[in-house]
Amino acid sequence: MDIKNIKKVDPQVAQQIELEFERQQNTIELIASENITSLAVMEASGSVLTNKYAEGKPYKRFYNGCEHVDIIEEIAQERAKSLFGVDHANVQPHSGAQANMAVFLYALKPGDKVLGMDLSNGGHLTHGSPVNFSGLYFDVASYGVNEYGEIDYDDVRAKALSHKPKLIVCGASNYSKIIDFKRFKEIADEVGALLMADIAHIAGLVAAGVHPSPAPYADFVTTTTHKSLRGPRGGITMCKAEHAAGVDKAVFPGIQGGPLEHIIAAKAIALHEAAQPEFKTYAAQVIKNAQALAQGLMDEGMDIVGGMTQNHLMTLDLRKFGKTGKDMANVLEQVGITANKNTVPNDPQSPFVTSGVRLGTPAVTTRGFKEDDMVEVAKIIAGAVFASDNEQGLKNLRERALKLCKRYPIYVD
Ligand SMILES: *Cc1c(COP(=O)(O)O)cnc(C)c1O
């Protein structure tokens, strides 16, 4: 990747970008929310579109000179609508958090009741965490997962009946089972609530048809574009036609100023890529790889929350080894595997320590890893759990991880 101008202007930053590229090249990325974009997506992100102010909607802007960004944004909207099968798409949200915030601003008044998934059970901060706007300004009730790592829909229904929320939020950041959007819709209808499905993590799987879509059921479908969907960092808020005008007003002027048209162009390209047959193959492989990793880890004697995964991620439960997620994520980094600590259901440790590590396969699948490679990754992870204080053992594991990385280089034209 050519950064010759950055090198000239700012060697200090250039050096760190080069080192970051090497880090990505030489480590196995298992952070479930990360991916490796195409060069086309990256080119758009660094294009002249970054110079343009375009407050407002396509063809109804507050600034002149928008004839090209109008077309680009309209293309992105149309592609999002067709890929996800929704009535309306606003592609301006700067991130997944903004995509959700727009729905809350449109659908709720401060103090209104919301039912969302608890953060420590796999939900997202923006689903009602007390430290987030969603928990600070709204009256939140939460549901979680049972001991098998599954949503208990009867419990969701009971909470909906007693709390009478105006909005029910489904979708998660750490959940390894198929989400039953139809069931959520039935519950929402029974209590007269609106339904928001946040598919930030599984958007690529939904787009490829390897996870059921919430589009027929949810009033709002929100997503990030940079996780399994493999686009630039950003968000999209989609909805049924009746909510379109309100959602657009909530995004701008409600919570944002000028849209990032360079990122919107990159979103358009990623949405085009996601509509190709190769993307379906990739998404199916993401799940095959996750299942091969989970099986490999279980064969090595490791516990996975809820057992076999049905999507792109899983949580390794370290309790029986007396290890913490925090320590294990650091040991994994030493052997060249990047992952994040995560709570397990009923975690005895604090959210800063945790007893689990979340593992996901979108990024390694983009690199080209297949099932056999995931079995080797499982062995490296198990080796790191057992040899966490054996320096030579960790060095050998680092070599094995590096060998896999060399076999699947990133950003080769
Ligand atoms: C990642 C995520 C978000 C937030 O996305 P950001 O781009 O980090 O703001 C929202 N919801 C869910 C379920 C997520 O996993």
Side-chain angles (χ1 to χ4, degrees), residues 33 93-100 122-127 169-174 196-202 222-227 232-235 312-313 358:
S33 50
H94 300 331
S95 74
Q98 264 65 57
N100 291 347
H124 189 260
L125 278 167
T126 54
H127 298 183
V169 180
C170 62
S173 297
N174 189 20
M196 172 178 129
D198 177 352
I199 58 167
H201 257 264
I202 56 172
T222 58
T223 188
T224 61
T225 45
H226 49 277
K227 298 183 183 176
R233 306 200 74 75
H312 64 299
L313 63 70
R358 187 183 67 162

Side-chain angles (χ1 to χ4, degrees), residues 320-336:
K320 80 171 177 206
F321 301 107
K323 312 231 183 237
T324 66
K326 182 175 176 222
D327 288 345
M328 217 35 237
N330 289 335
V331 173
L332 287 176
E333 189 169 352
Q334 281 182 56
V335 306

Side-chain angles (χ1 to χ4, degrees), residues 152-154 157 180-188:
D152 176 345
Y153 293 92
D154 292 331
R157 179 172 175 265
D180 189 345
F181 295 117
K182 184 162 179 275
R183 188 79 203 275
F184 269 107
K185 171 65 173 163
E186 288 162 6
I187 295 167

Side-chain angles (χ1 to χ4, degrees), residues 90-110:
N90 187 310
V91 296
Q92 292 189 358
H94 300 331
S95 74
Q98 264 65 57
N100 291 347
M101 193 179 211
V103 172
F104 277 58
L105 183 66
Y106 160 68
L108 304 169
K109 296 267 174 289

